Amino acid sequence: MKPGLEESALLTALMAEYAMAIDDNRLEDWVELFDEACEYKVVTRENVEQGLPNVLMWCDNKNMLRDRVESYREVNLYNLHYDRHVLGPLRFLAKEGSTCTFEASYSLFQTELEGASRLFSVGKYRIEALIENGAARLKSVTVIADTGLVPSLLATPI
Amino acid sequence: MKPGLEESALLTALMAEYAMAIDDNRLEDWVELFDEACEYKVVTRENVEQGLPNVLMWCDNKNMLRDRVESYREVNLYNLHYDRHVLGPLRFLAKEGSTCTFEASYSLFQTELEGASRLFSVGKYRIEALIENGAARLKSVTVIADTGLVPSLLATPI
Amino acid sequence: MKPGLEESALLTALMAEYAMAIDDNRLEDWVELFDEACEYKVVTRENVEQGLPNVLMWCDNKNMLRDRVESYREVNLYNLHYDRHVLGPLRFLAKEGSTCTFEASYSLFQTELEGASRLFSVGKYRIEALIENGAARLKSVTVIADTGLVPSLLATPI
């Protein structure tokens, strides 16, 4: 079963807010898009295809996301770069009960404070979201990055 | 209040046409997407965040947009590059009366006539649009560019 | 006449699957999005604007697409790069009977197996799709690439 028009619009809006919250440096708003029982992880496509267990970032509940954002705020008094996500259309995979599974491709650009922009990462999201009472929230977000990423570069989420 | 499904589709179509009109070099069609009483401006994110008043391009009514496109046509007998916008999904902020406010991220690529493409600018649009009689038109477009931009490079709108 | 909300959603989903099928290296699934009587071609914008007949890739029925994917599978035992498409919103042009015509801009990135990503091509699709019995399939796909492309680089479709 696939989500209907209203649900598709809710999920597209959820992802628009996901991307813009990170890009606006509203990371606390980004955390609030998740359910308390949630998972967020970043893996590389190479590791997925080779069956390797390496994970570049992994939070398995909302408090870990809160902690991560809080640490980031303490360490980074100033914004060191700007992020900019451009997401493609959602590919809906399934709807089971109130849970929808979908994917979306992303391009992520970073701009240094001097003003130069560059491609930072491309890949896709694989997402499980809950829709209840006309609102959607994130249960599971897996970022599968085509681009090889060094964990230390991941100051902000993707 | 947020726009409904029909309105969201109208606004997404408006932005698809906005981007494609520029990329197709149909700048006169691009102007026609605006209301007579309109505003179009390009600013950098750095200036916005520092509260600086610098504006890279500013037209505060439709005739100024018409003039600008006309001048461009006189100066540029040949197309010097191709533009290509790829926009992300719309983030709807509010609907008050017939006015909808939303944002969308963009990536803008330029291709030289020799065929090489490069990233030219990333950032977001902040937009106010009017919906009347089943049609949408632009009241206010603010381009907030993450990328530092030299005004002289802005031959075509973003 | 323009497509309605349900049809627009079907066509957006078709393009999301189009892009993800290529990027996931599910080229056989990509072929299945086409009608038996179909056309797929890749041209450069420069050639289109100069009225030149050069075509970089051309298949004028589904069996040619099948053959092409089969040959690709025989030659490429290993995946030599990852593709990643990020598509913009659809610009709907017309609906005549069960045929919808629309355009969409694309950015296409490639990632080498060592993990470095780069911009490979930008441009737009011009598409005719059939909607019958609640399902959409591709009748005609023309890729108009802004980026100059060498035919030998086109191992996978765009």
Side-chain angles (χ1 to χ4, degrees):
Chain A
M1 198 178 160
K2 294 280 177 83
L5 287 180
E6 289 281 0
E7 291 163 320
S8 300
L10 269 180
L11 296 171
T12 298
L14 178 68
M15 294 312 293
E17 173 62 12
Y18 176 105
M20 203 68 92
I22 298 174
D23 295 350
D24 287 344
N25 197 20
R26 296 183 286 107
L27 298 178
E28 293 77 7
D29 292 351
W30 173 76
V31 171
E32 287 313 309
L33 301 175
F34 286 82
D35 193 60
E36 287 296 332
C38 66
E39 184 181 52
Y40 172 79
K41 66 180 172 184
V42 180
V43 296
T44 63
R45 182 166 172 174
E46 191 191 8
N47 280 347
V48 170
E49 299 198 350
Q50 297 181 356
L52 297 173
N54 307 33
V55 173
L56 297 173
M57 197 191 287
W58 189 21
C59 296
D60 69 357
N61 62 64
K62 195 169 178 175
N63 277 330
M64 284 182 71
L65 291 174
R66 287 189 184 100
D67 285 353
R68 193 171 176 100
V69 168
E70 204 172 317
S71 314
Y72 174 78
R73 292 297 185 210
E74 280 166 17
V75 173
N76 294 281
L77 296 182
Y78 303 100
N79 206 1
L80 301 176
H81 68 265
Y82 299 138
D83 279 322
R84 181 62 52 194
H85 290 74
V86 180
L87 271 56
L90 273 53
R91 175 182 179 235
F92 297 106
L93 293 169
K95 182 192 164 191
E96 293 177 30
S98 52
T99 303
C100 294
T101 308
F102 61 93
E103 295 182 329
S105 288
Y106 72 85
S107 50
L108 171 55
F109 306 92
Q110 289 195 342
T111 302
E112 298 163 20
L113 295 198
E114 291 76 33
S117 298
R118 67 185 181 97
L119 180 64
F120 179 72
S121 175
V122 293
K124 72 174 172 183
Y125 298 103
R126 189 175 182 107
I127 290 186
E128 285 178 30
L130 270 181
I131 299 185
E132 285 175 350
N133 305 318
R137 58 190 195 279
L138 297 163
K139 284 296 287 181
S140 169
V141 174
T142 304
V143 179
I144 303 170
D146 297 349
T147 311
L149 291 165
V150 181
S152 66
L153 290 176
L154 291 181
T156 44
I158 292 184
Chain B
M1 196 177 161
K2 295 281 176 86
L5 287 181
E6 290 280 358
E7 291 162 321
S8 300
L10 269 179
L11 296 170
T12 298
L14 178 69
M15 294 311 293
E17 174 61 12
Y18 177 105
M20 203 69 91
I22 298 173
D23 296 350
D24 287 344
N25 197 19
R26 295 182 287 109
L27 298 177
E28 293 77 7
D29 291 351
W30 174 76
V31 171
E32 288 311 311
L33 301 175
F34 286 82
D35 193 59
E36 287 295 332
C38 66
E39 185 181 53
Y40 172 81
K41 64 180 173 185
V42 180
V43 297
T44 62
R45 181 167 174 173
E46 191 190 9
N47 280 347
V48 170
E49 300 198 348
Q50 297 182 356
L52 298 173
N54 308 32
V55 173
L56 297 173
M57 198 192 284
W58 189 21
C59 296
D60 69 357
N61 61 64
K62 194 170 178 175
N63 278 329
M64 285 182 71
L65 291 174
R66 287 190 184 98
D67 285 353
R68 192 171 177 99
V69 168
E70 205 173 316
S71 315
Y72 173 78
R73 292 298 185 209
E74 280 165 16
V75 173
N76 293 281
L77 297 182
Y78 304 100
N79 205 359
L80 302 176
H81 68 263
Y82 299 137
D83 280 323
R84 180 61 53 194
H85 291 72
V86 179
L87 271 57
L90 274 52
R91 176 181 178 237
F92 298 105
L93 294 169
K95 183 192 162 191
E96 293 176 31
S98 51
T99 302
C100 295
T101 308
F102 61 93
E103 295 182 330
S105 288
Y106 72 84
S107 51
L108 171 55
F109 306 91
Q110 288 194 344
T111 302
E112 298 163 18
L113 296 198
E114 292 76 34
S117 298
R118 68 186 182 96
L119 181 64
F120 179 73
S121 176
V122 294
K124 72 175 173 183
Y125 299 102
R126 189 175 182 106
I127 291 187
E128 284 178 31
L130 270 181
I131 298 185
E132 285 175 351
N133 305 319
R137 56 191 197 279
L138 297 163
K139 283 298 286 180
S140 169
V141 174
T142 304
V143 179
I144 304 170
D146 297 348
T147 311
L149 291 165
V150 181
S152 65
L153 290 177
L154 290 182
T156 45
I158 292 182
Chain C
M1 196 179 161
K2 295 281 178 82
L5 288 180
E6 290 280 359
E7 291 162 321
S8 300
L10 268 179
L11 295 171
T12 298
L14 178 68
M15 293 312 293
E17 174 62 12
Y18 177 105
M20 203 68 92
I22 297 174
D23 295 350
D24 288 345
N25 197 19
R26 295 183 287 109
L27 299 177
E28 293 77 7
D29 292 351
W30 173 76
V31 171
E32 287 312 311
L33 301 175
F34 286 82
D35 193 60
E36 287 295 332
C38 66
E39 186 180 52
Y40 172 81
K41 65 180 173 185
V42 180
V43 296
T44 63
R45 181 166 173 174
E46 191 191 9
N47 280 347
V48 170
E49 300 197 350
Q50 297 182 356
L52 298 174
N54 307 33
V55 173
L56 297 173
M57 198 192 285
W58 190 20
C59 296
D60 69 358
N61 61 64
K62 195 168 178 175
N63 278 330
M64 283 182 72
L65 291 174
R66 286 188 184 102
D67 284 354
R68 194 173 174 98
V69 168
E70 204 172 317
S71 313
Y72 174 77
R73 292 297 185 210
E74 280 165 16
V75 173
N76 293 282
L77 296 181
Y78 304 100
N79 205 0
L80 301 175
H81 67 265
Y82 299 137
D83 281 323
R84 180 61 53 194
H85 290 73
V86 179
L87 271 57
L90 272 52
R91 177 183 178 233
F92 298 105
L93 295 168
K95 182 192 162 189
E96 292 176 31
S98 51
T99 303
C100 294
T101 308
F102 60 93
E103 295 182 329
S105 289
Y106 72 84
S107 50
L108 171 54
F109 305 92
Q110 289 194 343
T111 302
E112 298 163 19
L113 295 198
E114 291 75 33
S117 298
R118 68 186 182 97
L119 181 64
F120 179 72
S121 176
V122 293
K124 73 174 170 182
Y125 299 102
R126 190 174 181 106
I127 291 187
E128 285 177 32
L130 270 182
I131 298 185
E132 284 175 352
N133 305 319
R137 58 191 195 279
L138 298 163
K139 283 297 286 181
S140 169
V141 174
T142 305
V143 179
I144 304 171
D146 297 348
T147 311
L149 291 166
V150 181
S152 64
L153 290 176
L154 291 182
T156 44
I158 292 182

